[in-house]
């Protein structure tokens, strides 16, 4: 196995993620086979790529020749056998375990024994998908973020059966696509979708307690915290259906740990069809001419909100290290490059003082007596020993 720029790449599923991944692979010089069951979807994928790439010409970022070459290197097909000569194949089809298993069963009978097979799954375990493979050692998770061509981060997830060799080759291969890779254990939410949960969950909790409205919480996180978007704006953008589903799945997969408990407020929004920007109504009103409430710019209240959410995020980041999900470096890289956080959470904790974070968590735990607020043991150890995460 030696993957380089001449490698033929296969992308399965020409939806949002598959189309973006095919664009990246082709832009980096690979010839790409992009397969989908639906000919209509292949047509839409091609049209959307043409539109995106033509915009690059208009902006002077690419020449017409470059764009023509990128498009020509992608072979759109609804015949899976066209992936036969692909040495690296990544799947980005519907998030359904039995459908993914069926696909990999078929795919393995088509590609060579030495090719690497990957899944872009967000919520299924790599172990469960790999169970259908004859050679599971060449299979792993390669998790891109939306929009794939713009987001720098790719989480690499070796499963229980993945060989070190396949992991190393894949990391180098993806790094050649100018991506930042981090390695995560095959556990629910990997790094980003696990560590980011309190950004939404604690914001919703503060809202439900009536401490502040959505506009004020968003203002606190942006103005005082430096986040690009507030939690409510971001949930409206992602779509409450999608965001709630991730929270619910992480909660269930963690055997109902109260740290990840979903919110009734968000559930009701989903049930009512208030899915956010895409339906015109979420926490904010996006319909023409609508007015949204102004935040309460009270600095004391804002600091309280920001400090509570940030402490929860740092506590969660500490847990990912404590449970050996990823290294300190990778947890910080993941949040900066996968969800555009202004700083790595553990570096942020070091900066504001880990004892401050621990005090904040302990105060919440004393106040609420809920397991949700338990301070992470690694955070406690660091404070006890006078250490930082980045020592
Ligand atoms: P999508 O719904 O936009 O695209 C899925 C595509 O798969 C569709 O074009 C559909 O026709 C095709 N498809 C369905 N069954 C198929 C089969 N048996 N064989 C071939 N093609 C098939 O979905 P999206 O959002 O691109 O997600 C794809 C995968 O990527 C999922 O596993 C999802 O969890 C994951 N993911 C999604 C992210 C997102 O923000 N949308 C982010 C990271 C991962």
């Amino acid at each position: 196995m030696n993957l380089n720029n001449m490698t033929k790449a296969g992308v399965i599923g020409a939806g949002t993620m598959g189309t973006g991944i095919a664009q990246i692979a082709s832009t980096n010089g690979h010839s790409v086979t992009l397969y989908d069951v639906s000919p209509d979807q292949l047509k839409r994928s091609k049209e959307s790529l043409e539109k995106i790439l033509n915009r690059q010409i208009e902006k002077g970022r690419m020449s017409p020749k470059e764009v023509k070459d990128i498009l020509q290197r992608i072979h759109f097909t609804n015949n899976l056998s066209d992936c036969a000569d692909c040495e690296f194949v990544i799947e980005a089809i519907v998030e359904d375990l039995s459908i993914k298993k069926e696909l990999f069963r078929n795919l393995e009978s088509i590609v060579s024994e030495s090719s690497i097979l990957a899944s872009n799954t967000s919520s299924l375990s790599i172990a469960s998908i790999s169970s259908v493979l004859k050679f599971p050692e060449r299979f792993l998770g390669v998790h891109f973020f939306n929009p794939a061509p713009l987001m720098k981060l790719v989480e690499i997830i070796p499963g229980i059966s993945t060989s070190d060799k396949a992991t190393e080759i894949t990391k180098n291969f993806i790094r050649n696509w100018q991506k930042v890779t981090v390695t995560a254990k095959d556990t629910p939410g990997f790094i980003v979708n696990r560590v980011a949960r309190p950004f939404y969950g604690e914001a919703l909790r503060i809202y439900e307690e009536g401490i502040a409205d959505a506009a004020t919480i968003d203002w606190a996180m942006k103005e005082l915290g430096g986040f690009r978007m507030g939690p409510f704006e971001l949930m409206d953008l992602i779509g409450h259906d999608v965001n709630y589903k991730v929270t619910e799945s992480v909660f269930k997969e963690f055997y109902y740990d109260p740290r990840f408990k979903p919110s009734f407020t968000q559930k009701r929004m989903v049930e009512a069809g208030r899915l956010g920007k895409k339906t015109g109504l979420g926490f904010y009103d996006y319909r023409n001419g609508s007015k949204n409430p102004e935040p309460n710019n009270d600095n004391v209240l804002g600091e309280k909100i920001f400090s509570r959410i940030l402490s929860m995020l740092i506590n969660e980041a500490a847990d990912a290290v404590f449970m050996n999900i990823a290294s300190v470096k990778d947890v910080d890289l993941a949040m900066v490059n996968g969800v555009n956080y202004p700083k790595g959470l553990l570096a942020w904790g070091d900066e504001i003082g880990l004892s401050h974070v621990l005090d904040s968590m302990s105060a919440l735990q004393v106040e609420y007596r809920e397991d949700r607020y338990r301070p992470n043991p690694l955070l406690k150890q660091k404070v006890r020993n006078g250490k930082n995460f980045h020592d």
Side-chain angles (χ1 to χ4, degrees), residues 366-379:
V366 167
E367 176 74 15
Y368 292 107
R369 298 260 167 237
E370 283 177 54
D371 213 20
R372 171 187 180 84
Y373 297 108
R374 66 188 185 270
N376 183 262
L378 186 58
L379 179 66

Side-chain angles (χ1 to χ4, degrees), residues 171-189:
K171 267 193 225 169
N172 290 330
F173 184 62
I174 299 293
R175 279 183 196 144
N176 281 337
W177 291 359
Q178 284 81 53
K179 293 292 180 192
V180 172
T181 65
V182 291
T183 310
K185 217 186 217 175
D186 182 16
T187 47

Side-chain angles (χ1 to χ4, degrees), residues 12-18 35-38 41 91-95 99-100 103 119-123 143-146:
I12 313 292
T16 311
M17 297 306 290
Y35 163 80
D36 201 289
V37 270
S38 152
Q41 186 60 37
E91 161 277 315
I93 66 169
V94 54
E95 189 77 334
I99 300 178
K100 287 202 199 276
L103 171 86
S119 173
N120 187 48
T121 182
S122 301
S123 63
H143 186 224
F144 284 81
F145 290 77
N146 190 16

Side-chain angles (χ1 to χ4, degrees), residues 269-284:
M269 307 247 316
V270 175
E271 288 166 350
R274 287 175 66 151
L275 304 183
K277 217 165 180 177
K278 62 186 170 192
T279 57
L281 205 55
F283 281 100
Y284 297 97

